[in-house]
Amino acid sequence: MKMIFVKIITVLVAIVSIALVVAMFTKNKYTIKREITIYKPKAEVFDFIKLNRNQKLYSKWLLLDPATKIEITGTDGTAGSLLTFESKHHKTGKGEWEIKKVENNRIDFELRFLAPYVFTANGHMETETLAENQTKLIWIYNSGMNWPKNFMLLFFDMDKIIGADVEESLTNIKTIVEK
């Protein structure tokens, strides 16, 4: 009986050790990029997306729970503006979206999740004129997992998981802005 227990423990230690070594050589960052064409001028699209207060109208994550508590501090639409959110929904959770930089066609952001998972993502939303009343909106989202958690990236396609939510948010923006 004691010998079987020792063998089981040895096998478990070997499996965990192999997973930790594999994680050392596994990617730990990922980037998600989605874009959509909106049939409105670039200035109109940009003026909508730069305001944190509009996220409650289009963000897939903030729309999951109508009772999500949202607070905006700083001057909305400028660097330093901070949207804090808190929800009981596990996909929304608690966190902060901070505008880091605003240029004439691009907003850089940092997204900090505080609960139920703790991690930071960053990225940007950018507008590009395609025609007079046609704008391409690009959303790039960067994140990752440190060792040894990055082992999970072998099994989860973050592009599909988060990308679908980004696509839904972009579709919501399109619907609202094109009205």
Side-chain angles (χ1 to χ4, degrees):
M1 179 75 160
K2 188 175 182 183
M3 209 49 179
I4 293 175
F5 181 71
V6 170
K7 286 181 182 181
I8 291 171
I9 294 296
T10 303
V11 168
L12 289 175
V13 167
I15 290 170
V16 169
S17 298
I18 290 169
L20 291 173
V21 170
V22 169
M24 287 192 299
F25 300 101
T26 300
K27 70 179 182 173
N28 63 352
K29 304 281 183 220
Y30 58 88
T31 296
I32 295 160
K33 179 181 179 183
R34 295 293 189 273
E35 55 188 58
I36 196 165
T37 300
I38 299 174
Y39 293 92
K40 287 289 184 173
K42 180 174 92 170
E44 195 173 327
V45 175
F46 188 75
D47 287 346
F48 180 80
I49 64 166
K50 77 177 182 181
L51 298 174
N52 277 338
R53 69 176 173 257
N54 289 336
Q55 286 197 42
K56 62 185 172 193
L57 303 173
Y58 70 81
S59 170
K60 156 76 178 194
W61 302 283
L62 295 180
L63 292 170
L64 288 170
D65 176 8
T68 299
K69 295 176 192 163
I70 298 171
E71 184 179 329
I72 297 169
T73 55
T75 304
D76 200 2
T78 65
S81 176
L82 183 69
L83 178 144
T84 58
F85 57 91
E86 186 170 356
S87 169
K88 292 185 192 279
H89 194 286
H90 72 280
K91 282 188 87 174
T92 305
K94 179 179 180 180
E96 306 170 329
W97 171 289
E98 181 179 359
I99 296 176
K100 300 301 269 182
K101 185 177 180 183
V102 179
E103 294 178 344
N104 110 32
N105 69 327
R106 177 177 159 147
I107 300 147
D108 292 356
F109 65 84
E110 183 172 277
L111 179 57
R112 297 180 290 272
F113 285 97
L114 308 172
Y117 312 103
V118 178
F119 69 93
T120 300
N122 63 56
H124 69 271
M125 296 172 79
E126 185 173 351
T127 55
E128 180 182 307
T129 300
L130 298 175
E132 186 178 336
N133 287 316
Q134 191 176 12
T135 303
K136 182 191 306 184
L137 175 57
I138 304 161
W139 187 331
I140 295 182
Y141 178 98
N142 305 298
S143 192
M145 295 180 183
N146 293 327
W147 183 86
K149 291 180 186 176
N150 65 319
F151 183 76
M152 293 188 299
L153 291 176
L154 291 171
F155 305 102
F156 296 110
D157 185 349
M158 299 309 283
D159 189 71
K160 280 187 179 177
I161 295 168
I162 296 171
D165 291 345
V166 171
E167 284 176 21
E168 187 172 330
S169 297
L170 286 171
T171 300
N172 292 341
I173 293 169
K174 177 181 175 73
T175 301
I176 293 165
V177 173
E178 287 183 351
K179 280 186 180 178

